[in-house]
Amino acid sequence: KVPVRVYNNSMVKDLAERVAADFRADGWQVTEVGNYPAGVIPNSTIYYRPGTGEQAAAESLATSFGMRAEPRFAGLRDASPGLIAIVTKDYQRR
């Protein structure tokens, strides 16, 4: 599976760590956990690089966890390959 980085974009303590544990339990390879302080993301979203195999993986992960899958926006475009999950207070464990 495609590696995933998980970033918290909320005031919920340890949210990224909890989401990373959920992803790992579902068989995803989480390679980094941290915070995303560079703006407000309105909904928990899995970001992928358009034109790569990441889109199918992002859609699968998003569907499994009730999140959205979207192409990377300008602020993430140059980040290293892999999925980027930015989670907000709307995340609900499935």
Side-chain angles (χ1 to χ4, degrees):
K1 290 189 174 181
V2 177
V4 184
R5 297 186 299 279
V6 182
Y7 301 111
N8 186 353
N9 188 236
S10 76
M11 299 301 289
V12 179
K13 183 173 173 41
D14 298 327
L15 179 62
E17 289 80 2
R18 291 200 316 263
V19 174
D22 290 348
F23 288 0
R24 287 180 179 121
D26 199 47
W28 292 89
Q29 176 191 0
V30 176
T31 58
E32 186 177 341
V33 177
N35 292 313
Y36 182 77
V40 175
I41 305 299
N43 302 98
S44 294
T45 306
I46 309 296
Y47 294 96
Y48 60 88
R49 292 177 302 143
T52 69
E54 292 178 5
Q55 182 172 354
E59 290 171 355
S60 174
L61 179 57
T63 298
S64 295
F65 287 91
M67 300 170 75
R68 299 165 26 158
E70 294 185 0
R72 290 185 182 185
F73 55 89
L76 299 178
R77 200 161 289 132
D78 296 330
S80 58
L83 302 180
I84 298 174
I86 300 181
V87 293
T88 66
K89 66 179 188 265
D90 70 346
Y91 176 77
Q92 298 290 318
R93 184 175 182 171
R94 298 279 170 220

